[in-house]
Amino acid sequence: MTTTGSPFSAQPYQGIATFGRRPQTRELSGVDVAILGVPYDSSTSYRSGARFGPRAIREQSLLLWGYNNAQQVAPFEVLNVVDYGDVDVVPVDITATHRAIEQTAATILQAGTRLITLGGDHSISLPLLRAHHERHGPLAVVHFDAHPDTWDEEYPSFKYSHGTPFRRAIEEQLIDTQAYLQIGIRGPTGGPQDYADARQLGARMMTFDEVTDLGLPAVLTEVRQRVGGRPLYVTLDIDAVDPAFAPGTGTPEVGGFTSHQMLRLLRGLSGLNLVGADLVEVAPPYDPQQITAILAANLVFELLSMMATK
Ligand code: MN
Ligand code: MN
């Protein structure tokens, strides 16, 4: 196994940036969790730049010391975590890129290794869901986002973009819609049909207003009841978080979660059967002082901690 050096033996700012200063390797023997980057943003519909997300999140993950006080676990001690590197994307071809994502994810999952993926735009969740479905069957999905991403065609006759992955995933029966929750939805749309369509498809949509009216404990109670013991995939579009806390993203919507609320929501999923996760839409060109990438790195740390406590 190739490594970048013994973890935490050097200063955080020393060496090449891998996620959490984990070893970079594609050797999966004995590996519990792989971090995978997908530097692809060709299906963004507004401002692009998420192709630089994986690199920025790795860069801002260097200061993650080992112990998670909130979840009372040291994920890097409990789990063998590696940085697998990036998928070979094809920026001019979403089909080829999705195929490469699915194949890479399948290779990792077949080794018995769990996967946390750094995007990239939200289109990448579709091939990731395909690979996880192949291994686990229909998935419970907790989807944090400002947007439902359940359009049929964001552009006439084009079925694949970052606005359509969850309609495609439902059509392909990758998601168990009894346990599909969209959390944090808000902002202007072209009309009422966007939300109606998502609900028609079976999503339990919790708009941001509903989440704040219910309060986080009630939200988490419902999420946990719906998910139960199902294999759970968490997909986190960073634009679920308010642009005051996460400005570095392509389609910002005001009036979202604080950083702390987002952390608490993830921690509230602890103990569920988390089989995989992605964090998408971090766009460093709009991210002053790396605000968004720092948050993203810490959110991934929470996801890893969840995997370590289960
Ligand atoms: Mn979004
Ligand atoms: Mn999204």
Side-chain angles (χ1 to χ4, degrees), residues 121-123 143-149 162-163 165-166 235-239 251 280-281:
D121 69 50
H122 218 158
S123 76
H143 170 192
F144 297 102
D145 207 322
H147 313 98
D149 295 349
H162 80 155
F166 298 99
T235 181
L236 200 168
D237 183 331
I238 200 67
D239 70 29
T251 45
V280 298
E281 300 282 355

Side-chain angles (χ1 to χ4, degrees), residues 26-273:
R26 297 205 161 186
E27 170 56 57
L28 293 170
S29 175
V31 172
D32 299 304
V33 183
I35 306 292
L36 174 69
V38 181
Y40 175 81
D41 64 7
S42 300
S43 81
T44 50
S45 50
Y46 192 51
R47 51 189 198 189
S48 55
R51 67 182 59 183
F52 299 108
R55 182 161 289 219
I57 295 167
R58 288 184 173 107
E59 184 79 24
Q60 298 310 323
S61 72
L62 303 178
L63 197 57
L64 294 171
W65 297 104
Y67 189 66
N68 185 329
N69 284 283
Q71 295 199 48
Q72 299 188 344
V73 67
F76 299 138
E77 290 179 17
V78 175
L79 301 171
N80 182 6
V81 182
V82 303
D83 192 324
Y84 195 81
D86 288 345
V87 171
D88 289 326
V89 301
V90 185
V92 295
D93 191 333
I94 191 171
T95 305
T97 296
H98 280 189
R99 195 184 308 124
I101 294 166
E102 186 176 348
Q103 287 172 350
T104 305
T107 298
I108 293 168
L109 297 178
Q110 280 161 13
T113 300
R114 276 181 285 183
L115 177 58
I116 297 178
T117 305
L118 315 175
D121 69 50
H122 218 158
S123 76
I124 72 169
S125 293
L126 178 61
L128 291 167
L129 287 167
R130 286 175 181 151
H132 284 80
H133 174 269
E134 181 69 23
R135 183 157 181 88
H136 298 286
L139 301 155
V141 173
V142 175
H143 170 192
F144 297 102
D145 207 322
H147 313 98
D149 295 349
T150 46
W151 277 329
D152 186 13
E153 295 176 349
E154 189 166 8
Y155 305 95
S157 84
F158 289 92
K159 294 285 186 186
Y160 302 97
S161 76
H162 80 155
T164 68
F166 298 99
R167 181 183 290 261
R168 296 289 93 80
I170 290 168
E171 288 171 349
E172 294 181 23
Q173 300 182 300
L174 310 177
I175 297 177
D176 181 346
T177 52
Q178 298 298 309
Y180 174 39
L181 298 103
Q182 301 181 335
I183 302 174
I185 309 296
R186 63 185 187 277
T189 61
Q193 203 58 37
D194 286 9
Y195 289 10
D197 284 351
R199 291 179 168 125
Q200 178 82 32
L201 287 164
R204 166 63 171 114
M205 180 189 291
M206 295 183 172
T207 64
F208 188 83
D209 284 343
E210 185 177 355
V211 171
T212 50
D213 289 347
L214 287 171
L216 296 192
V219 167
L220 287 164
T221 297
E222 180 174 344
V223 172
R224 298 179 71 89
Q225 281 173 351
R226 284 182 183 265
V227 172
R230 293 176 172 90
L232 170 64
Y233 189 90
V234 171
T235 181
L236 200 168
D237 183 331
I238 200 67
D239 70 29
V241 180
D242 194 281
F245 295 87
T249 195
T251 45
E253 304 288 354
V254 299
F257 295 115
T258 65
S259 303
H260 183 247
Q261 287 172 320
M262 198 67 247
L263 290 164
R264 288 296 294 272
L265 280 165
L266 289 187
R267 289 170 189 159
L269 303 180
S270 188
L272 296 175
N273 183 20

